[in-house]
Amino acid sequence: MILYDSVIIGHITKDYNIDHLDNTVEMCGGAVLYSSASAYALGHRVAAVTKLNADDSDRLLSLTLPKEDIYCSFCEKSVVMRNKYFTPDKEKRDSRCLSKATPFTLEDINGIEGKIYHFAGLVNGDFPNELIIECSKKAPVAVDVQGFVRNVDEESGKMFYRDWADKEKMLPYITYLKTDAAEAEILTGTDDRKKAAAILHSLGAKEIVITHNTEVLVYDGSEYYTCPIKSRNLSGRTGRGDTTFAAYITERLQDGIEESLLFATATVSLKMETPGPFKGTRKDVENYIRGFYR
């Protein structure tokens, strides 16, 4: 049986991205797509676990992994998203989920073993609590809170954010917790990222990763680590957090926090200069570090 460095679980979306000038780009997206590309590009053995309608099987071609490392279950509906961005930096947007897919279950990952189980959700409801709890018994669990604080209005499809009702129950099962700055404030009530990280750690998560458009912050309960983002343009802004988190947690399998954070931040800085999932190499990231971080 294969032991993957990371088993990444999440839906692949069809995204309709509309920029501030009303230009529309249709592309595949989703945290599982950007996360798996990042970890795989850095040389890690990664499995992607996803679900979609059989008619949308061509979405699997957007994954950069070898075919044998893609595990797909078919369900009634695939995910369709519409993102309207209001500013050039893509920090402000209106997001709508036009179609939701079936939630994941233990059956979907049966027999797929990983050193980390990475829950790369899109909206609340993608993962039942029991799935996280069971995976935490086998290996460290990594959770992107987007899949728990982002909700969908069933009538309009408009996505909105609210606090994770089960956070106090679930955070003790989570080794790596990722939020962006806005999500951290929703979870903790403070816009101070260091204070937010401390609160989330106090609730039970072991390592907190908070992404921001200027830097990435990590807190392990004793020390804060930060690393600046150095992108020269933002054409590849979509997938920023997913790329960062997957790179960080897989690097943590072999390195310390400071080194892993540097590598993850350099990876996302380079990725953000080109649209789509990261398709560079570990050598490219090492060169980027020498050029912009040393």
Side-chain angles (χ1 to χ4, degrees), residues 5-127:
D5 290 335
S6 181
V7 176
I8 308 176
I9 310 157
H11 296 294
I12 303 172
T13 70
K14 174 60 69 69
D15 288 339
Y16 295 89
N17 295 321
I18 307 167
D19 70 15
H20 67 295
L21 299 176
D22 286 333
N23 300 307
T24 301
V25 176
E26 179 183 331
M27 61 192 299
C28 288
V32 68
L33 171 61
Y34 291 100
S35 297
S36 60
S38 169
Y40 176 68
L42 298 182
H44 301 286
R45 188 75 187 270
V46 179
V49 179
T50 194
K51 302 178 88 157
L52 43 73
N53 183 281
D55 292 339
D56 297 319
S57 295
D58 59 332
R59 295 187 189 185
L60 299 175
L61 299 175
S62 63
L63 293 165
T64 59
L65 305 180
K67 289 182 180 179
E68 62 268 23
D69 297 328
I70 300 171
Y71 300 84
C72 179
S73 302
F74 294 120
C75 59
E76 183 180 352
K77 294 181 179 180
S78 302
V79 179
V80 179
M81 298 278 195
R82 175 189 178 276
N83 298 302
K84 167 59 180 171
Y85 296 98
F86 299 108
T87 57
D89 64 7
K90 298 185 177 181
E91 290 299 316
K92 294 182 179 180
R93 65 182 176 180
D94 174 82
S95 296
R96 294 178 187 261
C97 181
L98 307 182
S99 174
K100 286 202 302 183
T102 307
F104 291 91
T105 68
L106 267 174
E107 278 190 6
D108 297 319
I109 60 169
N110 187 37
I112 308 172
E113 301 295 328
K115 298 176 185 176
I116 297 171
Y117 287 94
H118 177 177
F119 290 86
L122 294 170
V123 296
N124 189 29
D126 281 352
F127 308 114

Side-chain angles (χ1 to χ4, degrees), residues 111-174:
I112 308 172
E113 301 295 328
K115 298 176 185 176
I116 297 171
Y117 287 94
H118 177 177
F119 290 86
L122 294 170
V123 296
N124 189 29
D126 281 352
F127 308 114
N129 290 345
E130 294 72 24
L131 182 56
I132 292 176
I133 293 170
E134 288 303 311
C135 285
S136 73
K137 296 175 182 177
K138 299 195 293 182
V141 162
V143 167
D144 185 334
V145 299
Q146 172 182 264
F148 298 89
V149 301
R150 191 160 74 167
N151 294 265
V152 179
D153 181 273
E154 296 301 330
E155 290 188 8
S156 67
K158 185 173 177 62
M159 291 191 281
F160 62 95
Y161 290 80
R162 67 181 175 206
D163 197 4
W164 182 6
D166 291 338
K167 68 185 178 190
E168 293 188 19
K169 173 185 176 183
M170 296 306 300
L171 290 185
Y173 295 101
I174 297 169

Side-chain angles (χ1 to χ4, degrees), residues 191-247:
D191 61 0
D192 184 310
R193 296 193 296 278
K194 287 187 174 181
K195 289 181 180 177
I199 292 169
L200 294 169
H201 185 274
S202 72
L203 293 175
K206 311 303 184 295
E207 285 185 25
I208 315 301
V209 180
I210 300 181
T211 58
H212 185 260
N213 61 355
T214 62
E215 67 177 15
V216 182
L217 177 148
V218 175
Y219 180 62
D220 66 348
S222 60
E223 189 170 346
Y224 294 98
Y225 303 83
T226 60
C227 191
I229 288 176
K230 304 247 183 175
S231 298
R232 291 163 289 183
N233 71 74
L234 298 173
S235 62
R237 161 66 180 83
T238 301
R240 179 182 72 191
D242 308 318
T243 300
T244 305
F245 192 43

